[in-house]
Amino acid sequence: ASSVETLDAVDNWSYILMKDGVMGWVPSSTLTPSTSLGSHVYFVPVKSLFAHVYREPNIKSRAPLMTLPHGANVPLSSDSCEEVDWARVCLLSGGEGWIQSADLKWDSSPKSVEQMLQLSLLFQGLPYTWGGTSSYGYDCSGFVQMLFLEMGIQLPRNAKDQAASDLLVSVSKEDLVPGDLVFFGLERVSHVGLYLGEGLFIHSGVQGSPLLRVDRLDQTPYVWMCGRRLGISKLP
């Protein structure tokens, strides 16, 4: 689940505003009033690449009801806790399901840059998906935005806006350190990746294999434009 604000509605479509400022139309049937869940619910994000929700707290009795991507906010019953194997899920459609507690991120503290870099490597091999912002498939800026959210930093949605963000400061190609962002393009920024160190960066792109992968800066077909670093005062 993700919280959005409804700005307009036409026929069976709703115009929504997301937390990162992105606006667009979605089928109204995909939206559920937040009040319908009740006051006994709280949200915990998925920490695994994917997590199954089951009808019962048993992985063998039935097939999963659904599979949630990394970062999805799961509405849990107030009696759920980290210390047990299963957590009770309050389904948006009504009723309940069960998710394994080990799939959830119970610790809400922001990750350090080093922890974020380690996390980034877990997503290698996911398919590139234009507009993608989950482990079902990321695009380049969606991947970077997710990683910085893990550190408690809200970057803009698009690569060109990320490059222009006042949360970041300019850094030369020669002075890059792990955790910096690297931007590419021709007349304007159109691609972004995360610098890992030793000339390597991780990104979701379509040139070469359409995958989330690690490449070398000196061998990528993408044309270098600029580097950016999170301002010191913004570091977790």
Side-chain angles (χ1 to χ4, degrees):
S2 180
S3 179
V4 300
E5 179 183 352
T6 302
L7 302 177
D8 194 8
V10 176
D11 296 327
N12 298 317
W13 291 85
S14 295
Y15 193 61
I16 63 168
L17 171 64
M18 302 181 68
K19 289 183 177 179
D20 59 5
V22 172
M23 295 182 286
W25 292 92
V26 298
S28 299
S29 60
T30 63
L31 302 177
T32 300
S34 57
T35 53
S36 66
L37 289 173
S39 59
H40 65 291
V41 171
Y42 67 107
F43 291 85
V44 177
V46 171
K47 74 174 182 181
S48 304
L49 283 185
F50 300 98
H52 291 321
V53 175
Y54 295 87
R55 290 178 175 85
E56 316 173 344
N58 188 319
I59 63 172
K60 298 180 180 179
S61 61
R62 298 187 185 184
L65 281 171
M66 64 186 76
T67 301
L68 302 177
H70 175 86
N73 283 313
V74 184
L76 301 181
S77 172
S78 58
D79 62 359
S80 297
C81 65
E82 182 179 8
E83 285 72 27
V84 295
D85 293 336
W86 292 88
R88 191 191 307 267
V89 178
C90 300
L91 301 177
L92 298 182
S93 58
E96 66 178 28
W98 296 85
I99 191 169
Q100 295 182 84
S101 296
D103 279 328
L104 298 175
K105 181 185 176 184
W106 297 93
D107 180 5
S108 60
S109 59
K111 283 182 167 54
S112 66
V113 173
E114 291 75 17
Q115 290 171 326
M116 180 272 288
L117 289 166
Q118 293 175 2
L119 174 69
S120 72
L121 299 175
L122 300 180
F123 297 86
Q124 292 181 83
L126 292 181
Y128 173 89
T129 304
W130 186 84
T133 58
S134 78
S135 51
Y136 292 141
Y138 291 98
D139 64 12
C140 64
S141 54
F143 180 57
V144 163
Q145 185 187 48
M146 176 275 295
L147 291 174
F148 273 60
L149 275 176
E150 291 282 347
M151 298 191 297
I153 304 296
Q154 177 72 69
L155 286 183
R157 174 64 185 88
N158 297 314
K160 64 180 178 61
D161 296 327
Q162 291 174 356
S165 171
D166 58 9
L167 297 175
L168 307 176
V169 296
S170 182
V171 60
S172 69
K173 193 174 185 179
E174 294 72 28
D175 293 330
L176 291 172
V177 298
D180 289 345
L181 296 181
V182 289
F183 292 92
F184 307 88
L186 295 175
E187 295 182 357
R188 64 179 180 86
V189 169
S190 59
H191 189 62
V192 61
L194 175 73
Y195 187 66
L196 299 174
E198 299 183 356
L200 301 175
F201 73 107
I202 187 168
H203 64 129
S204 185
V206 294
Q207 293 196 31
S209 299
L211 297 172
L212 205 160
R213 63 191 189 273
V214 174
D215 283 328
R216 294 197 59 84
L217 274 178
D218 59 3
Q219 295 177 1
T220 181
Y222 292 95
V223 178
W224 169 270
M225 286 204 76
C226 59
R228 295 288 186 265
R229 178 174 300 162
L230 192 61
I232 297 299
S233 63
K234 309 298 181 182
L235 287 170

